[in-house]
Amino acid sequence: MQTFLSGQQLEGSGVCFFGLKAILSSSTVSALLPARSPPAPSSPASREMSQKSERRGIHVDQSELLCKKGCGYYGNAAWQGLCSKCWREEYQRARQKQIQEDWALAEKLQREEEAAYASSQGAQSQPSLTPFSKFEEKKTNEKTRKVTTVKKFFSPSSRTAPKKALAARLKDSHEGKTPSPSISRQSSIETDRVSRDFVDFLKTLQKPGREIHKQSRAFIEGMANKKDLGADELSECVQDFYQNMSDRLMTHFKGSSERVERVMDQVEKYIMTRLYKNVFCPETTDDEKKDLATQHRIRALHWVTIQMLCVPVDEEIPEVSDNVVKAITDVIEMDSKRVPRDKLACITRCSKHIFNAIKITKNEPASADDFLPTLIYIVLKANPPRLQSNIQYITRFCNPSRLMTGEDGYYFTNLCCAVAFIEKLDGQSLNLSTEDFERYMSGQASPRRQEPEAWPPEGPCGGSSPGLAQVYQNLELLTGLEARQERVLEGARSLESDLISWQESVEREVQQILEKYPLEIRTPASAIDSDNVENDRLPPPLQPQVFAG
Amino acid sequence: MAEKKVGSRREFLGKASALRVKMVILGSSGVGKSSLALRFSKDEFKNSSPTVGCAYLTQVVCLHDVTLRFEIWDTAGQEKYHSVTPLYYRGAHAALVVYDISKRESFVRAQLWLRELEKHYIPGETVVGLVGNKTDLPNIRQVSLQEGQSLAESKGLVFMETSAKSGEQTSELLLNIAHRVNQRTMDKDRDLTEWREAECVELYQGNRPHPLTACCPIGP
């Protein structure tokens, strides 16, 4: 019986918790457990809240699982409570609508911009003749813009829609009830935002801004028809456009290359955000294949250590390892950016973290001799997604002056060097013999087992790396759990045998008692009635009576 | 003619044009490439410098009529990275090949670098300089001044012996390179005016200098 108790104690807390939950349904007690019941955003009253969460914990209503459209099939939370078929229909509709809205927005932007120019130019040249309506229009335009700036993330295309409808939509998207898939919207939201920023920026340029906008739009539309061109031709088109545009700007700004650069950055941002989908890792190239090859290569090189690459970074220092982690994050983040210059900025950020790590370790400024090996190490550790595609994309579509010169260009060149080095990496460059290198690459051996002195088998928790310590700790925990489980099983087994023997003993006892006191049915000595002499003096027995009604 | 401090340089920038010059520094590991770069850019030496990194540095050099904005690219000198270094000197206006006067093997490697450079560059495009560093160690010198000089002369290179540690001859070296780069660009402008736009050299003629036109070190 004792062993059984220990088994029960193991699960005690869980049983207790569920028991509490089942018993305590009144709001007063459930208020004692606020952390257990997640707040349901739709029901404001605390009583309702606790009851709802309780129901969720124990029992799910059948109707909550079904498709919200009521088609009878089961729904899925990932499809916002719809079944797969209904979701697809909704999604298609939302997409169609969105495409139309995007077109409408583009046209509206164009119109609005023209109107703004017309009115501003009108106001400049002939202030007295400016029609009041136009002025009014501009004013309201500005007003609506003010209103929408905060909300444009939720409803990008309803800029001039009435406030009420906007608020309703905003609410909807907050509650996650709208079937319009927010994930697919994300990209178009970004595109819209970039377009708007671009227009806003061009407005500061006055007259040439309009021309730049027109040309950029025309170029994007032209590029849409060139989808089946090779990547190099596409690159050439974009580079030609950059060249023409900067030449024109150069004449306009009378040779101030700084202002030209500023405008060109915006142009690049606008164009590449729009073209990204079609020109990043296009099907006409083998970029994807190269990506996979590089990824496999880096994965196969997982055993390369800091010592082999002679990286002057000591990850034991928390500040250094912090910088290493940040550098890895930055180089991975590169893939999520669309504009070449933003991708470059990620590389630059990554490089700065590397410099910090080296500076802290060595206590002197990092040179290229230190930097390149560290960058290689970071790339190996990060295994950035679609590395080759990203490099190709930047090379093809970035403003060339940024790649050949400048700080960003320097770090980008280093990244290219790192990738080229990783591709060619052999045993010699890691100070290993060719045989060792081959064996490590094929996974037959691991360098750690070869050098036991580098990884001293210290106590179970004293591994030289935190990961190893964690592994040891987990192993220990597992062993403990195993022992406990063994104990529980043993207890259960002995309980079982106890029960069986108990049953047997009870049976035996019963048998013994039965044998001791055999059942004898004696005939009654006398009937009560026959002994009763004064029987007839008693009143007659009560008769059952039926009452109607 | 002489190099001036950044503060007084700014007012010149307005009228003069600024050329962007990419200069790579090549050489074996440990010959003092980055120390040299640090000396060019900040007039500091490594062990006492607050700079975070000296792999990419900038410095503005004023000649009498033009301003050159040098972008100094340090390269990894270890032998195993030799195969990837051509990526660095693509589009460079100037290249410095550095060796350590107290280490003969670094001088041998320097000759390799020079041969490599010649393979990739048409003479007359890039200004190449040969630099013997660490003149602060005359006692253990292994490469004589004459050796370096004759090598440079045979290839028509700028030659100088410097000490990044003491700062000896470093600003003279940068000025010398600046003059040559400027000369090359002017020649090219005269010969092929239409080439200028395709070139990486950009002409600054703004009314106001951007604050970053002065030297901007990497790192926060």
Side-chain angles (χ1 to χ4, degrees):
Chain A
M1 279 305 184
Q2 250 182 341
T3 43
F4 173 67
L5 273 177
S6 76
Q8 199 185 27
Q9 268 168 344
L10 254 183
E11 293 175 313
S13 60
V15 170
C16 188
F17 169 59
F18 281 118
L20 265 182
K21 265 207 145 178
I23 294 160
L24 314 168
S25 58
S26 76
S27 61
T28 44
V29 187
S30 58
L32 289 171
L33 300 161
R36 297 280 192 203
S37 50
S42 48
S43 55
S46 71
R47 183 177 185 137
E48 260 176 51
M49 195 163 92
S50 67
Q51 276 173 351
K52 200 175 175 182
S53 70
E54 212 156 63
R55 201 188 307 138
R56 195 184 296 158
I58 301 160
H59 164 71
V60 180
D61 196 5
Q62 181 76 5
S63 64
E64 282 173 31
L65 288 173
L66 291 176
C67 171
K68 282 189 178 164
K69 281 228 137 177
C71 65
Y73 285 91
Y74 283 107
N76 189 330
W79 295 322
Q80 274 149 14
L82 298 174
C83 73
S84 61
K85 197 157 173 264
C86 292
W87 164 254
R88 215 174 299 140
E89 280 169 8
E90 281 294 319
Y91 178 80
Q92 285 294 347
R93 198 176 307 150
R95 258 189 69 149
Q96 278 301 326
K97 200 172 146 208
Q98 190 192 321
I99 290 167
Q100 281 168 4
E101 279 174 354
D102 281 354
W103 272 108
L105 175 77
E107 275 170 19
K108 197 161 64 197
L109 278 176
Q110 174 91 8
R111 267 203 313 277
E112 192 185 287
E113 193 205 353
E114 272 164 17
Y117 275 119
S119 65
S120 67
Q121 272 174 356
Q124 273 164 15
S125 54
Q126 306 155 294
S128 56
L129 287 177
T130 313
F132 183 68
S133 61
K134 239 177 199 171
F135 177 69
E136 193 64 35
E137 183 189 76
K138 200 183 162 197
K139 217 168 127 188
T140 45
N141 268 352
E142 266 165 16
K143 247 188 210 160
T144 35
R145 188 170 314 123
K146 250 179 232 157
V147 172
T148 46
T149 38
V150 188
K151 297 165 181 170
K152 67 186 169 190
F153 272 95
F154 301 102
S155 50
S157 37
S158 58
R159 254 179 78 173
T160 46
K163 248 189 193 174
K164 221 175 175 180
L166 216 149
R169 263 182 91 171
L170 189 69
K171 214 173 111 200
D172 278 355
S173 60
H174 255 319
E175 288 171 6
K177 275 180 185 164
T178 34
S180 66
S182 58
I183 309 136
S184 74
R185 294 222 105 177
Q186 206 71 45
S187 61
S188 84
I189 288 167
E190 199 192 325
T191 316
D192 287 348
R193 192 168 44 84
V194 169
S195 309
R196 203 160 301 148
D197 288 350
F198 187 55
V199 170
D200 285 347
F201 171 77
L202 290 179
K203 275 179 186 163
T204 63
L205 292 179
Q206 311 266 320
K207 205 175 144 203
R210 197 175 173 188
E211 185 63 23
I212 293 168
H213 188 241
K214 221 170 166 182
Q215 286 210 5
S216 305
R217 276 177 54 85
F219 176 69
I220 289 168
E221 273 160 28
M223 285 298 277
N225 302 326
K226 294 179 189 163
K227 267 178 193 160
D228 33 306
L229 278 185
D232 292 333
E233 280 102 344
L234 287 175
S235 159
E236 226 160 273
C237 289
V238 174
Q239 298 290 356
D240 281 351
F241 177 73
Y242 286 156
Q243 189 68 48
N244 287 335
M245 184 66 96
S246 62
D247 285 353
R248 280 171 180 227
L249 290 172
M250 209 63 164
T251 26
H252 174 77
F253 289 123
K254 300 176 185 70
S256 160
S257 56
E258 243 164 73
R259 292 179 69 184
V260 173
E261 248 172 55
R262 225 172 31 237
V263 177
M264 286 308 294
D265 284 348
Q266 294 293 328
V267 170
E268 181 191 318
K269 193 173 164 192
Y270 176 70
I271 288 179
M272 290 324 294
T273 314
R274 302 222 148 210
L275 293 180
Y276 178 80
K277 258 192 188 154
N278 295 329
V279 301
F280 183 85
C281 187
E283 282 160 20
T284 49
T285 61
D286 57 350
D287 287 357
E288 197 179 350
K289 219 167 81 192
K290 278 193 208 155
D291 280 339
L292 285 175
T294 307
Q295 201 156 21
H296 283 307
R297 174 88 179 153
I298 293 176
R299 215 174 284 159
L301 287 166
H302 67 94
W303 46 268
V304 174
T305 61
I306 272 195
Q307 290 80 13
M308 291 178 189
L309 283 168
C310 309
V311 176
V313 159
D314 183 4
E315 282 184 296
E316 294 278 287
I317 307 168
E319 224 180 316
V320 173
S321 70
D322 193 41
N323 271 301
V324 167
V325 169
K326 279 183 188 154
I328 290 173
T329 317
D330 282 331
V331 77
I332 290 174
E333 201 193 338
M334 173 178 69
D335 185 52
S336 67
K337 304 286 182 205
R338 292 214 224 169
V339 185
R341 223 164 62 83
D342 292 348
K343 286 184 188 284
L344 283 181
C346 285
I347 302 172
T348 305
R349 270 207 308 280
C350 163
S351 306
K352 300 255 156 124
H353 287 307
I354 293 175
F355 278 118
N356 281 331
I358 300 171
K359 167 86 181 179
I360 295 164
T361 309
K362 288 186 78 175
N363 208 16
E364 63 173 34
S367 67
D369 287 355
D370 304 326
F371 175 68
L372 186 59
T374 317
L375 183 64
I376 290 167
Y377 175 69
I378 294 289
V379 170
L380 282 179
K381 271 198 112 174
N383 201 351
R386 303 195 285 183
L387 187 55
Q388 297 277 3
S389 289
N390 276 301
I391 288 178
Q392 289 297 331
Y393 175 74
I394 294 171
T395 319
R396 285 180 194 137
F397 301 110
C398 195
N399 209 338
S401 68
R402 296 231 171 253
L403 292 186
M404 294 296 241
T405 56
E407 197 171 7
D408 289 346
Y410 179 72
Y411 298 130
F412 180 69
T413 306
N414 269 293
L415 184 67
C416 293
C417 286
V419 174
F421 180 77
I422 288 170
E423 278 172 352
K424 285 181 201 157
L425 192 72
D426 57 9
Q428 209 186 349
S429 41
L430 295 172
N431 300 323
L432 295 170
S433 68
T434 319
E435 299 86 60
D436 275 352
F437 182 78
E438 288 303 323
R439 274 193 305 141
Y440 296 156
M441 279 304 273
S442 60
Q444 282 171 345
S446 154
R448 285 169 200 182
R449 253 169 264 152
Q450 296 273 308
E451 301 159 41
E453 68 275 5
W455 295 83
E458 289 169 48
C461 290
S464 44
S465 79
L468 210 62
Q470 184 80 50
V471 167
Y472 278 128
Q473 215 176 339
N474 288 345
L475 272 177
E476 207 184 349
L477 208 66
L478 279 175
T479 324
L481 281 176
E482 204 178 15
R484 281 169 84 174
Q485 197 190 6
E486 203 56 53
R487 274 210 306 278
V488 171
L489 271 177
E490 223 169 87
R493 248 178 261 126
S494 77
L495 174 68
E496 196 185 12
S497 62
D498 277 358
L499 277 173
I500 290 168
S501 62
W502 179 70
Q503 195 188 353
E504 278 169 0
S505 73
V506 167
E507 261 173 34
R508 232 182 0 258
E509 264 176 54
V510 167
Q511 206 60 47
Q512 276 171 5
I513 290 168
L514 276 178
E515 278 163 19
K516 226 181 200 172
Y517 309 100
L519 183 68
E520 289 167 32
I521 303 161
R522 285 181 299 177
T523 49
S526 62
I528 301 170
D529 289 351
S530 63
D531 285 348
N532 208 331
V533 194
E534 296 164 295
N535 195 16
D536 48 325
R537 277 188 210 166
L538 289 169
L542 285 170
Q543 292 298 315
Q545 287 178 7
V546 181
F547 290 94
Chain B
M1 262 306 179
E3 226 187 323
K4 287 174 188 166
K5 286 275 160 240
V6 183
S8 59
R9 207 182 284 134
R10 286 220 172 127
E11 55 224 48
F12 288 95
L13 266 172
K15 284 156 205 161
S17 54
L19 282 169
R20 215 186 240 192
V21 180
K22 171 176 164 182
M23 178 165 82
V24 285
I25 306 186
L26 305 166
S28 311
S29 167
V31 296
K33 295 186 298 295
S34 45
S35 308
L36 209 55
L38 200 57
R39 188 58 84 181
F40 284 150
S41 168
K42 318 200 130 189
D43 208 17
E44 283 167 352
F45 193 63
K46 253 186 161 181
N47 50 15
S48 60
S49 168
T51 319
V52 175
C54 49
Y56 174 89
L57 294 165
T58 55
Q59 173 65 302
V60 178
V61 178
C62 281
L63 302 179
H64 59 287
D65 54 347
V66 282
T67 309
L68 290 101
R69 182 170 185 265
F70 271 87
E71 291 179 357
I72 304 161
W73 288 34
D74 189 11
T75 61
Q78 292 97 322
E79 218 164 327
K80 56 181 167 185
Y81 303 124
H82 195 107
S83 61
V84 295
T85 24
L87 288 171
Y88 284 109
Y89 46 74
R90 210 166 37 180
H93 304 100
L96 293 184
V97 178
V98 187
Y99 67 90
D100 179 351
I101 60 155
S102 67
K103 286 200 181 90
R104 172 145 300 271
E105 58 180 289
S106 72
F107 185 63
V108 178
R109 279 292 302 283
Q111 296 174 26
L112 270 175
W113 284 114
L114 286 174
R115 236 171 284 151
E116 192 73 25
L117 268 176
E118 280 167 10
K119 250 190 268 170
H120 288 85
Y121 285 96
I122 328 151
E125 275 289 300
T126 314
V127 177
V128 182
L130 183 67
V131 182
N133 193 28
K134 305 201 184 175
T135 48
D136 49 290
L137 302 169
N139 302 332
I140 49 168
R141 179 192 275 273
Q142 289 184 353
V143 185
S144 70
L145 180 67
Q146 287 75 26
E147 271 179 288
Q149 233 158 15
S150 58
L151 176 67
E153 261 167 41
S154 70
K155 295 183 186 279
L157 314 174
V158 180
F159 177 75
M160 210 163 267
E161 282 198 342
T162 61
S163 167
K165 196 173 181 180
S166 67
E168 195 188 338
Q169 294 280 44
T170 48
S171 53
E172 287 82 353
L173 173 63
L174 192 63
L175 264 184
N176 197 335
I177 299 286
H179 274 294
R180 299 234 178 180
V181 171
N182 188 33
Q183 194 61 45
R184 288 268 159 95
T185 347
M186 287 205 306
D187 290 350
K188 233 182 295 173
D189 281 355
R190 221 183 9 252
D191 297 344
L192 303 145
T193 23
E194 70 272 23
W195 268 45
R196 205 174 65 192
E197 281 164 358
E199 213 57 37
C200 286
V201 182
E202 282 166 36
L203 252 63
Y204 282 83
Q205 290 174 344
N207 299 329
R208 263 214 231 143
H210 191 268
L212 289 177
T213 329
C215 70
C216 57
I218 46 169

